[in-house]
Amino acid sequence: MVNAAFAVWNGTGAPPAASETEAWLRYAPRDAESAKPYAQLPSRVEVLHESLVLDSAQKELIAGMSRMLGRSVQAGSGGGNAFLLGSAPEARKRVPELKLPALKPDGYWLKVTRSRGQRLFLIIGSNDRGVLYGVFALLSKIAREQDISNIDEAEQPFARLRWVNQWDNLDGHIERGYGGPSIFFADGKVRYDLTRAGQYARLLASIGINGCTINNVNADPRVFRPDFIPQIKGIADAFRPWGVQVALAADLSAPKVLGDLDTFDPVDPKVAAWWKNKIDEIYRAIPDFGGFTIKADSEGQPGPSTYGRTHADAANMIARALKPHGGVVFYRAFVYNHHLDWRNLKNDRAKAAYDNFHPLDGEFDDNVIIQIKNGPIDFQVREPVSPLFAGLRRTNEAIELQITQEYTGQQRQLCFLVPMWKEALDFDMRINDKHTPVKALVAGRVFHRPTGGFAGVANVGMDASWLGNSLAMANLYGFGRLAWDPDLGPEKIIEEWTRLTFGNDPEVVRTIDRMQLSSWHIYENYTGPLGAGTLTNVTGNHYDPAPESSERNGWGQWHRADREGIGMDRTLATGTGFIGQYPPAVQKIYEPLASCPDRLLLFFHHVPYTHVLHSGKTVIQHIYDSHYDGAEEAAGLGEQWKTLPGRVDEARYEEILALLEYQAREAIVWRDTICNWIYQLSGIADQKGRVGRRSQP
Ligand code: GCV
């Protein structure tokens, strides 16, 4: 029997209800009382110049105001009070006495003012996109019952590039996608109906995302076929009104596998000419094309090593063809050997990104950005930050975060990732013993790089709720908000999201915020605590507990658990030396057992099960306890949700309840699998006598 809660829309039959698809842009109608504070807002929306993006901004403002406040709001110019929407130069012409704040690209200013007897609500952007972002910000404030009567607020993006990546295959399947089939592709072609692509761009714009790579980084070269480029133009056309640039994942071997050349050697002039022609062809069809995301020499993807060339040779060759058009290359640092000899205790996959890219620092062109996963392995539930963030000083960089929950419950289990991302972004690399948080490095602020930013692997699909679970959409929302402003705290982000998605009932907001904010630690507790990795099925579905699958293979996600102890020794003294890739001040934290934080202990050290943690518990007892605590806390999520019937619409209430009840059962499966496994391995009994007994779910 298919559980309705897990059923995803397959693209046929009746489309899902509009409200679910609108996620946090629901614009739920307000009652008369809560609409009152907005009674003074103008009823006319005037744009100061014509453009596709401003047209969207105007329509969005009208729709949002009308729906929330039940008022008739009109477009048009003329006298009287009005919202004025436009770029800074246009605003200056219209209201010459204005003192505009300095705005960076995509920044905006919301300001209430008076001019020639008119009360004006200004939504001014440094560019059209900024205006659109200003409109979304304003509507969000109204939806969250914020006071905007005398607003004077300028907002700037922290980093220039804020992209999402979709791992969509041309056949419509999404690699590590849990929200149904692709919104872009089906049966080897771009979908005829791109309504969802446009709706997605609207959602992305509302959180400040300005680019989207639409196809899998395990790339299909067919996207470069002459008959395919006009199809991609269709997606670009759907994105354009929302200021989202379309981008492609590129297979470096395309010139050869498409049959045009007998080589893809990046230093061969024929190859460079092929890419130049191809890129010119793309820009003729899509003048605002964003550029490429490239995965090379990784997990079977072709790359420059085929010809003994470097990643810089490959990235620059393509970047030079993109440069005249303003395009960029996101070149992924996720390069490692997945046939590592597991018997060699010095081998370490965690070292790969730094080993591959640090020696090339300074060799990449200015429109190349090295896209680095937050951790050195692969989106595990707990990893330290990648040392490569500190290892590139003359190269642009971006942080890659995974919105789709590949290793963190695949959207069937609640795991709000913003607290994890926030820890990574705030992590202080102490370069030259100075405060150097990762967020400043990726925005290019520390070494004055021309660009940099954020890439989030979203993998939304045709499911009504995009990710297959409406609570998981908090991760997409949170990614965008952090990319815009990484100084925001998880508490602020989740409160915004909950209010926008479920309304302003304080009980609902408190409950959902608490559930979301606790969910990452809960998931960590019942899967893989102390930095051991998720202990999941590494060679299979990346979902079920299967701790032995990490070992005795070349994938390098080893935890090295044996009869005596557990953990990867990555120290300089006796281990793989990975810790040596961090700046000295960080090495000093991780190298000594005495200062290594418990939460990352097994990532950095191999210790006996009887090792005593800073918490005072032994490692083995911590593993037992955290799994039992985690399973109990997971059950508690459902209990908290059960306080909300009647306060949340029935459809979402039931859907989410079913998921949380399922999660509670899965947490018990995890708890028992991991605890029994480690008990059998170590032979050390649980002090509380729970492990090994038949459990009662
Ligand atoms: C797109 C992990 C995932 C792969 C993914 C890869 C990557 O290994 O399991 O599905 O491939 O990361 O990020 O390239």
Side-chain angles (χ1 to χ4, degrees):
M1 194 185 81
V2 178
N3 183 334
F6 306 141
V8 291
W9 189 48
N10 65 5
T12 58
S19 59
E20 195 64 0
T21 304
E22 285 184 316
W24 54 83
L25 296 177
R26 303 168 88 86
Y27 302 139
R30 316 297 293 273
D31 58 36
E33 195 50 35
S34 66
K36 240 190 224 158
Y38 306 104
Q40 299 304 315
L41 288 176
S43 297
R44 188 167 62 79
V45 182
E46 181 177 342
V47 290
L48 297 176
H49 53 109
E50 301 281 312
S51 85
L52 261 183
V53 172
L54 282 196
D55 189 48
S56 305
Q58 185 180 42
K59 289 189 175 129
E60 189 75 23
L61 185 56
I62 291 172
M65 294 255 305
S66 314
R67 277 165 61 180
M68 281 190 281
L69 304 175
R71 307 215 338 227
S72 152
V73 184
Q74 314 284 336
S77 51
N81 300 346
F83 286 99
L84 289 191
L85 273 52
S87 65
E90 296 295 327
R92 225 175 263 121
K93 276 192 227 154
R94 175 68 190 271
V95 191
E97 68 272 22
L98 268 186
K99 285 205 176 42
L100 287 161
L103 293 175
K104 290 187 195 160
D106 296 352
Y108 61 83
W109 186 39
L110 304 178
K111 167 84 178 158
V112 173
T113 190
R114 288 202 153 270
S115 175
R116 292 178 220 138
Q118 289 174 277
R119 189 175 151 81
L120 299 177
F121 201 120
L122 305 175
I123 305 181
I124 307 301
S126 60
N127 52 18
D128 291 354
R129 215 156 34 199
V131 179
L132 179 63
Y133 295 168
V135 163
F136 279 119
L138 176 68
L139 290 170
S140 163
K141 285 175 193 295
I142 299 176
R144 291 180 290 117
E145 302 183 339
Q146 306 273 294
D147 177 14
I148 52 168
S149 48
N150 283 306
I151 199 162
D152 182 352
E153 183 177 300
E155 274 273 335
Q156 321 276 5
F158 192 84
R160 283 183 89 98
L161 298 166
R162 304 171 306 277
W163 285 23
V164 287
N165 293 176
Q166 288 277 142
W167 290 349
D168 297 28
N169 296 321
L170 305 194
D171 64 3
H173 171 258
I174 304 177
E175 181 156 346
R176 315 298 174 194
Y178 313 105
S182 172
I183 61 171
F184 302 125
F185 308 108
D187 306 324
K189 295 193 283 286
V190 169
R191 280 178 182 272
Y192 176 72
D193 180 355
L194 288 171
T195 309
R196 289 295 296 267
Q199 291 171 340
Y200 186 36
R202 172 173 170 255
L203 276 184
L204 295 178
S206 74
I207 47 172
I209 301 295
N210 56 10
C212 173
T213 303
I214 54 176
N215 58 316
N216 192 353
V217 286
N218 292 329
D220 190 326
R222 287 178 298 164
V223 292
F224 293 119
R225 277 190 345 212
D227 64 322
F228 215 92
I229 291 170
Q231 299 181 48
I232 294 163
K233 175 184 180 303
I235 300 174
D237 292 345
F239 281 4
R240 192 167 297 115
W242 304 101
V244 177
Q245 288 184 287
V246 83
L248 288 172
D251 174 339
L252 283 181
S253 70
K256 187 171 175 202
V257 293
L258 289 178
D260 298 339
L261 301 179
D262 57 5
T263 176
F264 65 95
D265 181 350
V267 307
D268 186 322
K270 290 195 299 289
V271 174
W274 187 92
W275 281 106
K276 184 182 174 323
N277 287 337
K278 189 52 67 186
I279 286 167
D280 290 347
E281 183 186 345
I282 294 174
Y283 276 95
R284 278 195 296 279
I286 308 168
D288 54 353
F289 181 70
F292 295 138
T293 303
I294 296 175
K295 171 176 179 178
D297 285 329
S298 166
E299 298 184 335
Q301 289 306 109
S305 69
T306 310
Y307 300 96
R309 311 299 179 198
T310 70
H311 294 295
D313 293 330
N316 293 343
M317 180 264 302
I318 295 196
R320 283 168 199 164
L322 286 163
K323 178 112 181 168
H325 305 284
V328 297
V329 173
F330 278 88
Y331 199 96
R332 296 178 84 231
F334 186 64
V335 176
Y336 70 103
N337 172 5
H338 66 277
H339 298 292
L340 276 182
D341 181 358
W342 57 272
R343 287 159 299 209
N344 183 341
L345 297 182
K346 295 287 174 192
N347 279 346
D348 189 357
R349 169 171 164 182
K351 289 165 79 176
Y354 188 97
D355 284 348
N356 277 292
F357 287 87
H358 171 70
L360 298 173
D361 188 24
E363 290 185 24
F364 292 95
D365 283 11
D366 268 0
N367 60 332
V368 176
I369 302 108
I370 302 301
Q371 179 169 320
I372 307 166
K373 288 191 183 187
N374 59 291
I377 299 285
D378 192 7
F379 301 134
Q380 302 298 288
V381 71
R382 172 76 67 177
E383 291 186 49
V385 297
S386 170
L388 187 59
F389 292 116
L392 298 177
R393 304 190 181 180
R394 290 171 297 140
T395 304
N396 304 318
E397 53 186 63
I399 188 166
E400 180 175 317
L401 300 170
Q402 199 184 39
I403 297 157
T404 189
Q405 295 169 231
E406 176 180 355
Y407 285 98
T408 50
Q410 302 190 352
Q411 278 107 272
R412 279 176 276 168
Q413 304 190 39
L414 185 66
C415 191
F416 179 54
L417 295 165
V418 166
M420 176 208 273
W421 300 336
K422 179 74 178 151
E423 273 190 28
L425 290 164
D426 285 348
F427 185 82
D428 188 354
M429 283 290 196
R430 302 296 307 162
I431 296 176
N432 301 327
D433 285 323
K434 295 209 180 74
H435 180 61
T436 30
V438 167
K439 61 191 168 195
L441 287 161
V442 300
R445 292 177 173 207
V446 178
F447 297 109
H448 310 291
R449 300 301 313 157
T451 194
F454 293 72
V457 182
N459 292 358
V460 303
M462 287 297 274
D463 181 45
S465 60
W466 301 95
L467 287 172
N469 175 350
S470 37
L471 290 186
M473 287 296 275
N475 285 325
L476 178 57
Y477 181 86
F479 168 77
R481 296 295 287 134
L482 279 180
W484 180 269
D485 180 2
D487 291 331
L488 291 173
E491 297 78 12
K492 161 97 174 96
I493 291 174
I494 198 61
E495 179 172 354
E496 286 180 8
W497 176 82
T498 305
R499 285 177 182 275
L500 295 172
T501 309
F502 287 96
N504 294 293
D505 176 342
E507 194 49 42
V508 172
V509 175
R510 241 193 324 273
T511 306
I512 296 180
D513 288 3
R514 198 176 45 225
M515 289 168 60
Q516 292 270 22
L517 288 169
S518 59
S519 58
W520 169 43
H521 290 293
I522 295 175
Y523 191 79
E524 179 181 31
N525 276 346
Y526 68 76
T527 58
L530 301 176
T534 35
L535 304 180
T536 186
N537 187 340
V538 166
T539 48
N541 62 6
H542 297 188
Y543 183 72
D544 295 316
E548 283 300 314
S549 70
S550 298
E551 296 302 306
R552 291 169 290 283
N553 61 49
W555 289 97
Q557 290 186 222
W558 308 314
H559 47 65
R560 302 276 193 220
D562 57 22
R563 302 185 69 79
E564 313 301 328
I566 179 170
M568 273 288 290
D569 182 356
R570 293 188 157 109
T571 61
L572 283 157
T574 53
T576 68
F578 166 74
I579 290 175
Q581 294 184 341
Y582 289 100
V586 177
Q587 293 179 21
K588 278 191 202 137
I589 301 171
Y590 292 144
E591 178 83 7
L593 267 175
S595 55
C596 184
D598 287 351
R599 61 181 182 277
L600 283 168
L601 179 75
L602 304 181
F603 191 92
F604 287 117
H605 296 271
H606 183 84
V607 293
Y609 293 108
T610 50
H611 173 82
V612 178
L613 298 166
H614 299 298
S615 69
K617 279 187 190 178
T618 59
V619 164
I620 189 81
Q621 196 56 40
H622 177 98
I623 294 175
Y624 293 145
D625 287 350
S626 64
H627 281 83
Y628 276 85
D629 291 348
E632 207 170 297
E633 290 157 354
L637 292 171
E639 293 310 313
Q640 293 173 67
W641 186 253
K642 280 187 196 154
T643 63
L644 299 180
R647 293 176 181 268
V648 167
D649 55 279
E650 207 182 323
R652 279 189 297 175
Y653 178 79
E654 293 298 337
E655 175 207 317
I656 291 166
L657 181 62
L659 283 164
L660 293 170
E661 286 176 339
Y662 162 82
Q663 178 169 2
R665 294 193 296 274
E666 281 298 289
I668 290 173
V669 173
W670 266 96
R671 178 194 78 190
D672 292 349
T673 309
I674 301 301
C675 288
N676 288 333
W677 164 73
I678 207 127
Y679 172 51
Q680 276 162 22
L681 209 53
S682 67
I684 302 176
D686 167 28
Q687 286 167 0
K688 298 182 185 158
R690 298 158 299 188
V691 179
R693 278 209 324 238
R694 236 183 118 75
S695 58
Q696 303 296 320

